[in-house]
């Protein structure tokens, strides 16, 4: 039975060049389509880069022209597309938001990043919900780069039975080591695939580069049980390093779901014991 093809796009988004960034994204989306992708994942703030100092000027409405672009691309591709945007909310606040466009050319939903670093929080507000989306090949959850520091996000999606977490990211390279340690752990926490679509390039305003390392990871416990050729470390089925491009992997989600029914930890969770207030 054919699997589901997941593509992560690693690209540099130029500050102050939104039209060029959209064209660059379109090019990579076409590459992913040529490789048969069913789900195409773009980085956080892909149309603007991480210019939060000027978020009032560069943020966009959701829905709006950028989501129309993504919906049109999804329709042409016959695939689902996830991408991150700096959103100007109707409430007057600003968010780092991931959106999901479907192959019918419709906007299926969005996720406002819940966790914001203390410096970001001066400019961005955090969301409060972890939405899940049921599509024809499975259940998708959304998160963004800074969220990977919080196992609670992955476990919440585990509790909701997602098959794939798409993490659109724009992580400063100074945090690359920690992010790379945490990503496979989050795949274990969530008992699912994690598609980490990360930006590259340099933030000229802030004076740092972005980590790249876009990757697609599986729970290694699943791989060990189901892939006889699995070797420790192979949980990163795609890793793009620092170069722009597209990485695609094909996975049998039905096989993963069958494994999960007999090996999940969800039944052993003790939620009444967690987050108890101390005396």
């Amino acid at each position: 039975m054919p699997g589901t093809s997941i593509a992560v796009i690693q690209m540099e988004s130029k500050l102050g060049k939104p039209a060029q960034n959209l064209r660059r994204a379109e090019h990579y989306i076409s590459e992913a389509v040529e490789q048969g992708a069913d789900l195409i994942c773009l980085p956080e703030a892909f149309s603007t880069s991480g210019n939060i100092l000027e978020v009032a000027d560069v943020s966009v409405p959701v829905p709006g022209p950028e989501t129309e672009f993504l919906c049109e691309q999804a329709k042409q591709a016959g695939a689902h597309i996830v991408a991150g945007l700096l959103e100007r909310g109707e409430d007057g606040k600003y968010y780092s938001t991931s959106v999901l466009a479907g192959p019918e050319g419709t906007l299926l939903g969005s996720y406002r990043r819940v966790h914001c670093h203390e410096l970001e929080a001066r400019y961005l507000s955090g969301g409060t919900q972890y939405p899940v989306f049921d599509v024809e090949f499975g259940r998708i959850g959304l998160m963004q780069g800074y969220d990977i520091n919080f196992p609670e996000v992955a476990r919440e999606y585990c509790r909701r039975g997602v098959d794939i977490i798409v993490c659109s990211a724009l992580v400063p390279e100074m945090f690359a080591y920690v992010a790379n340690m945490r990503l496979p752990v989050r795949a274990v926490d969530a008992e699912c695939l994690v598609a980490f679509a990360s930006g590259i390039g340099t933030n000229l305003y802030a004076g740092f580069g972005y980590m790249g390392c876009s990757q697609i990871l599986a729970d290694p416990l699943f791989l060990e049980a189901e892939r006889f050729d699995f070797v420790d470390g192979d949980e990163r089925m795609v890793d793009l390093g620092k170069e722009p491009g597209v990485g695609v992997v094909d996975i049998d989600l039905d096989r993963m779901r069958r494994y999960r029914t007999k090996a999940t930890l969800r039944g052993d969770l003790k939620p009444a014991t967690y987050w108890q207030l101390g005396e």
Side-chain angles (χ1 to χ4, degrees):
M1 182 175 180
T4 299
S5 290
I6 304 166
V8 287
I9 290 173
Q10 182 157 289
M11 59 178 277
E12 179 177 4
S13 298
K14 301 283 189 179
L15 293 168
K17 304 286 186 181
Q20 292 181 15
N21 295 334
L22 293 183
R23 288 198 298 271
R24 189 173 293 109
E26 185 174 3
H27 167 76
Y28 288 123
I29 290 170
S30 296
E31 281 194 24
V33 172
E34 289 175 2
Q35 297 183 59
D38 302 298
L39 174 63
I40 302 170
C41 312
L42 286 153
E44 184 178 356
F46 88 99
S47 65
T48 58
S49 192
N51 190 7
I52 62 170
L53 297 179
E54 298 181 356
V55 66
D57 297 321
V58 303
S59 57
V60 299
V62 175
E66 284 72 18
T67 57
E68 290 176 6
F69 163 82
L70 292 167
C71 287
E72 180 59 30
Q73 291 295 309
K75 185 174 183 179
Q76 291 180 15
H80 291 79
I81 296 178
V82 174
L85 297 167
L86 291 178
E87 178 192 359
R88 180 172 64 253
E90 293 181 353
D91 55 5
K93 298 178 181 180
Y94 305 103
Y95 302 90
S96 190
T97 298
S98 288
V99 298
L100 172 63
E104 302 299 321
T106 55
L107 183 63
L108 300 181
S110 64
Y111 162 74
R112 289 172 168 170
R113 174 151 56 93
V114 171
H115 300 94
C116 294
H117 186 273
E118 60 180 346
L119 297 177
E120 291 180 306
R122 301 175 187 178
Y123 306 93
L124 299 177
S125 297
T128 58
Q129 299 179 356
Y130 300 105
V132 297
F133 303 93
D134 290 308
V135 301
E136 49 263 40
F137 52 78
R139 174 167 279 198
I140 297 173
L142 303 179
M143 60 190 288
Q144 288 196 349
Y146 191 57
D147 286 329
I148 65 175
N149 294 292
F150 301 90
E152 293 80 4
V153 181
R155 188 61 84 188
E156 178 64 19
Y157 281 130
C158 176
R159 190 181 69 82
R160 299 187 184 196
V162 303
D163 301 303
I164 304 166
I165 294 175
V166 179
C167 181
S168 295
L170 198 58
V171 178
E173 59 188 356
M174 66 195 77
F175 302 123
Y177 177 73
V178 171
N180 268 316
M181 281 200 305
R182 284 177 168 154
L183 279 165
V185 178
R186 297 299 164 255
V188 176
D189 290 340
E191 300 180 358
C192 72
L193 301 180
V194 175
F196 178 74
S198 179
I200 54 175
T202 302
N203 187 319
L204 297 176
Y205 293 136
F208 56 72
Y210 295 111
M211 68 173 276
C213 299
S214 295
Q215 50 198 275
I216 301 172
L217 308 96
D219 179 350
L221 297 175
F222 158 64
L223 295 177
E224 188 171 35
E226 296 291 313
R227 287 175 53 190
F228 299 109
D229 60 347
F230 174 74
V231 177
D232 288 346
D234 284 352
E235 61 270 5
R236 286 185 172 89
M237 298 179 289
V238 166
D239 189 341
L240 295 180
K242 298 290 290 185
E243 297 301 316
V246 179
V248 181
V249 70
D250 191 76
I251 192 78
D252 187 339
L253 292 177
D254 286 334
R255 188 174 179 179
M256 186 183 74
R257 283 187 285 262
R258 288 195 297 271
Y259 161 80
R260 198 164 56 195
T261 58
K262 61 186 179 183
T264 182
L265 298 178
R266 278 182 285 172
D268 298 326
L269 291 172
K270 304 296 181 183
T273 70
Y274 308 141
W275 289 98
Q276 295 188 62
L277 296 177
E279 296 181 359

